[in-house]
């Protein structure tokens, strides 16, 4: 592996040793990358020119390049389109809340989970991201804005539990006091529900919040929206959630995208409540963002309110997700998608 930005301190020590440098250089290198968030070896002024040259040769430093930034005039939300070393593009979002800045990162280039309402999955999976590429989304946004990032959500393009090892490495590194030092309690990982990996994650005993994309009150409706539901039943997924709580003590979040006429009736709310009652959880209702490629429609305001009220009657914690950056390129992979569509059109036949 020559991916310098994914390496932890011990691995950097091995690199230093291999290049004939003193072990304390590893700490300096780590600080430049993960604390000062530089984008080239040239900026690492306390390392010798010779050492930097060797590093450049053997461990090329490829920063993510900003291709496009869109800033919302409504709430200051910023969407970033980044180009990776191999020419692929990914998107990340900075959201400004009263409790601090939150960055939503991608975990893969594309996605193979196939959720029917999601734009990120339309071109399938291109490749997983390295831990370094996940970290860099946060670093580049923090450096670009000059603002501290206090929260990170892994809710952008990709299925994080389909990129397990890099995800766990990312979590350890972003929460490392020698780096960005973002508390694990301020990290959220969202999954469509890959049961074995949810259980494995529980056993890592991290303090991160696990968000499950539930989106339906029963197996039949869930299967119509999410192919993964053919692999794992709702019982299995909810059991894995209970296990996650038992192992980590962390309250679960259930994401529920309200799709007009599909999963938003009062009966749906009753069934959902029946399934999750008594669990230590919180439901986040998200009026679905319609995408061009599918004809799903967003539930009306009143329907969303009624759904929320119904769940609350059962004593369930519910919030309606506040929409951020509504005036800039949609949500969930639509910036990347529209960029790819544009560039493909420009390519000669
Ligand atoms: N693969 C992970 C994380 C990425 S998606 C997951 O499935 O959870 C992040 C969240 O956005 C998920 O809850 C996903 O279902 C939701 N989402 C995707 N497309 C959406 C859309 N068009 N409208 C509303 N929510 C959407």
């Amino acid at each position: 592996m020559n991916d310098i930005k994914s390496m932890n301190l011990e691995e950097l020590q091995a690199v230093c040793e291999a290049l004939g440098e003193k072990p304390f250089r590893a700490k300096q290198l780590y600080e430049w990358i993960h604390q000062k968030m530089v984008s080239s070896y040239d900026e690492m002024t306390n390392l010798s020119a010779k050492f930097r040259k060797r590093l450049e040769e053997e461990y090329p430093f490829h920063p993510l390049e900003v291709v496009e930034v869109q800033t919302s005039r409504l709430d200051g939300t910023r969407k970033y389109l980044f180009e990776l070393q191999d020419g692929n593009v990914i998107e990340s979002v900075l959201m400004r809340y009263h409790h601090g800045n939150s960055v939503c990162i991608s975990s893969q280039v594309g996605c193979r989970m196939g959720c029917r309402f999601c734009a990120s999955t339309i071109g399938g999976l291109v490749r997983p991201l390295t831990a370094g590429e996940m970290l860099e989304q946060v670093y580049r946004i923090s450096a670009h804005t000059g603002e501290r990032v206090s929260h990170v959500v892994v809710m952008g393009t990709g299925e994080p539990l389909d990129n397990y090892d890099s995800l766990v490495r990312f979590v350890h590194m972003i929460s490392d006091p020698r780096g960005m030092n973002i508390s694990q309690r301020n990290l959220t990982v969202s999954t469509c529900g890959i049961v074995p990996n949810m259980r494995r994650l529980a056993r890592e005993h991290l303090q991160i919040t696990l968000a499950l994309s539930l989106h339906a009150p029963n197996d039949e409706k869930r299967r119509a929206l999410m192919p993964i539901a053919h692999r794992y039943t709702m019982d299995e997924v909810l059991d894995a959630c209970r296990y996650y709580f038992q192992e980590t003590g962390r309250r679960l979040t259930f994401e529920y995208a309200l799709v007009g006429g599909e999963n938003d009736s009062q009966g749906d709310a009753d069934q959902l409540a029946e399934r999750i009652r008594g669990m230590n959880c919180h439901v986040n209702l998200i009026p679905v963002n319609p995408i061009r490629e599918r004809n799903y429609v967003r539930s009306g305001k009143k329907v969303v309110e009624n759904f929320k009220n119904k769940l609350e009657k059962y004593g369930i914690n519910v919030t309606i997700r506040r929409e951020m950056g509504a005036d800039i390129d949609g949500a969930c992979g639509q910036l990347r998608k529209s960029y790819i569509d544009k560039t493909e059109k420009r390519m000669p036949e």
Side-chain angles (χ1 to χ4, degrees):
M1 151 164 130
N2 73 344
D3 174 12
I4 197 94
K5 281 175 293 191
S6 297
M7 291 184 194
N8 60 31
L9 190 58
E10 292 67 42
E11 289 158 343
L12 288 183
Q13 271 159 0
V15 165
C16 288
E17 200 178 329
L19 297 182
E21 294 284 334
K22 297 251 162 53
F24 75 90
R25 295 287 176 204
K27 206 161 156 261
Q28 294 177 325
L29 197 49
Y30 193 90
E31 269 174 16
W32 282 115
I33 302 174
H34 301 286
Q35 219 170 61
K36 301 189 181 119
M37 304 178 290
V38 297
S39 48
S40 71
Y41 287 119
D42 285 343
E43 295 164 67
M44 304 183 183
T45 46
N46 59 0
L47 305 181
S48 73
K50 188 170 138 262
F51 181 34
R52 282 183 270 155
K53 189 158 168 288
R54 286 293 305 280
L55 285 168
E56 189 59 58
E57 284 161 8
E58 305 209 14
Y59 304 93
F61 199 103
H62 299 284
L64 300 190
E65 303 283 351
V66 178
V67 181
E68 195 179 327
V69 185
Q70 296 184 343
T71 305
S72 165
R73 274 189 288 262
L74 301 173
D75 52 35
T77 293
R78 287 192 188 183
K79 300 211 168 170
Y80 287 80
L81 192 70
F82 290 114
E83 184 172 321
L84 308 174
Q85 166 203 351
D86 61 5
N88 278 305
V89 292
I90 54 170
E91 65 178 86
S92 326
V93 186
L94 168 74
M95 290 161 290
R96 295 186 161 102
Y97 294 103
H98 59 272
H99 61 254
N101 287 333
S102 179
V103 169
C104 173
I105 64 161
S106 295
S107 57
Q108 297 179 314
V109 181
C111 182
R112 58 176 177 170
M113 295 299 131
C115 297
R116 298 287 302 154
F117 46 81
C118 180
S120 294
T121 202
I122 288 170
L125 175 67
V126 180
R127 71 166 174 86
L129 294 181
T130 64
E133 287 166 333
M134 289 192 247
L135 291 166
E136 266 237 11
Q137 296 172 58
V138 184
Y139 298 171
R140 293 281 69 84
I141 289 178
S142 180
H144 185 257
T145 56
E147 294 173 27
R148 161 135 186 106
V149 173
S150 57
H151 293 68
V152 175
V153 297
V154 188
M155 282 194 186
T157 298
E159 168 49 48
L161 297 190
D162 188 32
N163 187 14
Y164 190 87
D165 292 342
S166 294
L167 174 82
V168 171
R169 181 176 276 266
F170 164 80
V171 170
H172 284 299
M173 290 176 79
I174 196 89
S175 58
D176 184 348
R178 294 166 303 197
M180 263 242 158
N181 196 14
I182 299 179
S183 160
Q184 288 190 4
R185 291 170 169 269
N186 292 355
L187 303 178
T188 299
V189 170
S190 176
T191 179
C192 64
I194 301 181
V195 169
N197 286 353
M198 290 168 73
R199 291 182 164 271
R200 201 171 150 201
L201 190 67
R203 289 191 293 271
E204 308 272 353
H205 296 119
L206 302 169
Q207 281 298 295
I208 60 176
T209 299
L210 185 61
L212 172 73
S213 298
L214 196 52
H215 303 327
N218 58 47
D219 281 311
E220 192 192 339
K221 291 202 173 191
R222 195 156 189 264
R223 286 179 189 138
L225 294 172
M226 307 174 73
I228 191 74
H230 290 279
R231 281 271 284 288
Y232 308 108
T233 63
M234 253 174 86
D235 277 344
E236 289 171 318
V237 179
L238 293 176
D239 268 350
C241 290
R242 288 187 191 94
Y243 182 67
Y244 189 85
F245 178 73
Q246 181 193 314
E247 289 294 310
T248 63
R250 301 289 296 159
R251 183 177 79 158
L252 275 288
T253 296
F254 293 129
E255 289 156 284
Y256 196 103
L258 287 161
V259 186
E262 302 276 334
N263 63 0
D264 62 348
S265 73
Q266 290 286 287
D268 291 328
D270 284 321
Q271 267 191 49
L272 175 66
E274 212 47 62
R275 298 301 285 260
I276 63 173
R277 253 172 115 169
M279 284 180 79
N280 217 309
C281 69
H282 164 251
V283 176
N284 201 206
L285 298 174
I286 319 159
V288 80
N289 268 298
I291 56 172
R292 226 185 316 128
E293 292 78 2
R294 309 269 190 263
N295 49 10
Y296 290 123
V297 293
R298 169 180 290 223
S299 308
K301 234 184 146 131
K302 195 81 207 127
V303 174
V304 175
E305 277 298 327
N306 290 341
F307 201 92
K308 174 172 184 267
N309 294 339
K310 183 67 128 185
L311 293 180
E312 281 176 343
K313 284 214 180 83
Y314 287 96
I316 295 169
N317 286 306
V318 196
T319 47
I320 298 172
R321 183 173 304 167
R322 202 176 112 212
E323 197 172 10
M324 304 288 280
D327 54 334
I328 51 181
D329 248 315
C332 313
Q334 294 189 62
L335 175 57
R336 170 171 175 266
K337 182 84 181 46
S338 64
Y339 177 81
I340 294 172
D341 289 349
K342 260 188 285 178
T343 43
E344 273 174 1
K345 273 192 209 112
R346 266 194 258 119
M347 295 231 268
E349 292 295 305

